[in-house]
Amino acid sequence: MKFFGFARSKISQTEFKEQIMRNLTCRYTPDHSCGDFIEKFLENCQYCSGKYDSKDGFIDLDSLLRKNSARLFYLALPPEIFPTVTKYIGLAGLLKSTSWTRVVIEKPFGRDRASSDDLNSELLKELTEDQIYRIDHYLGKEMVQNIMVLRFANQIFKPLWNSKYIRCVEIDWQESIGVEGRGGYFDNYGIIRDVVQNHLLQLLTLIAMDEPESLNADVIRNQKLKVLHDIQTIKVEDIILGQYNTYTDDPQIPDDSTTETFANIKLKIDNDEWRDVPFVIRAGKALDSKNSEIRILFRRPESNIFCNMEECPPANELIIRIQPDEGIHFNIVSKVPGLKMQFQEKDLDLSYKSAFVDTVIPEAYESLLLDVINGEKALFIRNDELEAAWDIFTPALKEIEKNKIKPKIYTFGSKGPDRICKKE
Ligand code: BG6
C-alpha cells in the first residue's frame, strides 16, 4: 500500500515525511515501541504538490500511481472545494482505474437541505453514490459501534426497548473547551450544524431504530432512515439556545454574533414504539466537563410493593458512556444490607478500562478508514439519510437565522441549562 500527500504547499519529500513522523505512534505493539515500523511506513509515503483547480498537479499525481491500482482519496479539505477537486481528479484521469476508486469526504455536508443537495449533485457529476464515503467519525467510536450489540445481542433489553418501558432518552454531549481557533468556521455553523444534525442525530437513530434483518450495510441504513423519516420536524419552541459568555472575544467572531454554542433540543418520533417518549439532545461547548453519553431512563414498575408512604424506589437508568472512560452503567435498585428494608440505587458497572484490560481501543478513524479499504459502508452516511437529517433541522435553523433569535448567555465552564430528562 502506498500513501500520497497532495496539497498546494511546495515542500520537499523530507519535510513531508518529517510532518508525518511528528504524529505517528505505535500503539499496537506490546510496549508501544516502534522499532523499524516507522521507517518502513515512510518508505511508502510520497508527496506531490499542485493546485486544486487545475488538472496539471493531478496528472503528476496520476503518473506516480500504479496503473489500475485501487485508489482511496481522502479529501481533508474545506467542503466548498470538494466539487472542484473531484472535477479535476476526474479530468486528470485519476478516477479511471479498473480496480475500485473511493472518495472519503467530511462534514459539513452543506448548511441546510438545499446546499447539501447542491453539494451532492456536484459530486455525483464525477462519482457514483457507491464511491462516496461520507464520514461521521462518531459512528466509528468503539462505544457507538457497541450500541447495536448491546440492543440486539442481549435478550434482556429487546422486549423493554419501547415507550411502554422507557420514559425518556437523553443524548448529552459536552466539551470543556470553546471554539479554540475555529471561530471563523464555527460562527457560520453553530452547534446544531456542527454536532447535533450529524453526530448526535446518528446516535439517536441507533437507539431508536428497529432491529435490522442482517448486518448488510443497506439493511442497517434502511432501518436508520425509517427512524429519520419518523422524527417530526423540529419546532423552534422545542429548542433552547445558549452562547458562552466569552464566545465573541474571539477575533474571528463578530461582536453581535447570535450563533449558538449550546442547544437543548426535544425531538419526537412519531411511530408506535416511541410516540410520547421525548428524545432530548443536549450539546454544548465551554461547559464544565468533556463528556458524551446516552441516558435511557426507564419507567417505574406500574405497581411496586416496595413503595411506602414517603417514597418509591427509583426507576432504572442505563447509561452508555461514549467518552471519556467508555462503558455501560446500569442503575438498579438494591436492598442495603442490614436488618432494615432500605433501598439504594447501585451501578452495574461495565467500564471498558476494567472489563477489557490491555485492549487497545482504536481511534474512530482507524476503524472507519479500514472500512473504506474493505468497501464496508454500514458506518457511512447514505445520501437519503443526509437528506432526511437536514429535513428535520432546516426549517428551525432558517427561522432562528431569519429572526436572529438570541441565545441565552452562560458562563464559560458552567453546567449549562438544566437537564430535561429528570429522574423520577
Ligand atoms: C467535530 C466538531 O465534528 O467533532 C467539533 O466539528 C467537535 O466541534 C468534534 O469538537 C468532537 O469530536 P470528538 O471525537 O473529540 O468528540
Side-chain angles (χ1 to χ4, degrees), residues 366-386:
E366 287 173 320
S367 173
L368 292 173
L369 291 177
L370 198 58
D371 278 0
V372 182
I373 293 169
N374 292 328
E376 173 49 66
K377 292 201 92 174
L379 300 180
F380 293 84
I381 311 297
R382 211 169 53 188
N383 186 34
D384 47 8
E385 283 182 86
L386 185 61

Side-chain angles (χ1 to χ4, degrees), residues 107 137-138 141 173 175 182 194 199 285 290 323:
K107 65 164 238 303
H137 78 283
Y138 266 61
K141 289 189 188 271
W173 184 95
E175 271 187 349
R182 293 168 76 226
D194 188 40
H199 305 327
K285 289 199 177 263
K290 178 169 169 74
Q323 62 191 26

Side-chain angles (χ1 to χ4, degrees), residues 155-183:
Q155 176 58 25
I156 187 171
F157 291 121
K158 288 196 193 190
L160 304 182
W161 213 261
N162 54 56
S163 62
K164 186 162 180 219
Y165 299 103
I166 293 178
R167 189 172 56 81
C168 195
V169 176
E170 185 176 89
I171 297 173
D172 200 15
W173 184 95
Q174 320 190 6
E175 271 187 349
S176 49
I177 52 169
V179 293
E180 315 277 291
R182 293 168 76 226

Side-chain angles (χ1 to χ4, degrees), residues 311-357:
E311 53 175 359
C312 279
N316 299 122
E317 182 176 353
L318 176 72
I319 298 173
I320 303 170
R321 180 150 305 134
I322 295 164
Q323 62 191 26
D325 301 330
E326 293 89 341
I328 297 170
H329 301 263
F330 191 38
N331 291 349
I332 57 159
V333 179
S334 180
K335 177 181 173 301
V336 180
L339 299 178
K340 279 201 267 172
M341 187 54 96
Q342 280 184 321
F343 311 103
Q344 221 176 53
E345 200 179 5
K346 284 284 172 191
D347 178 16
L348 294 183
D349 173 357
L350 178 76
S351 296
Y352 271 30
K353 264 197 198 127
S354 44
F356 301 104
V357 184

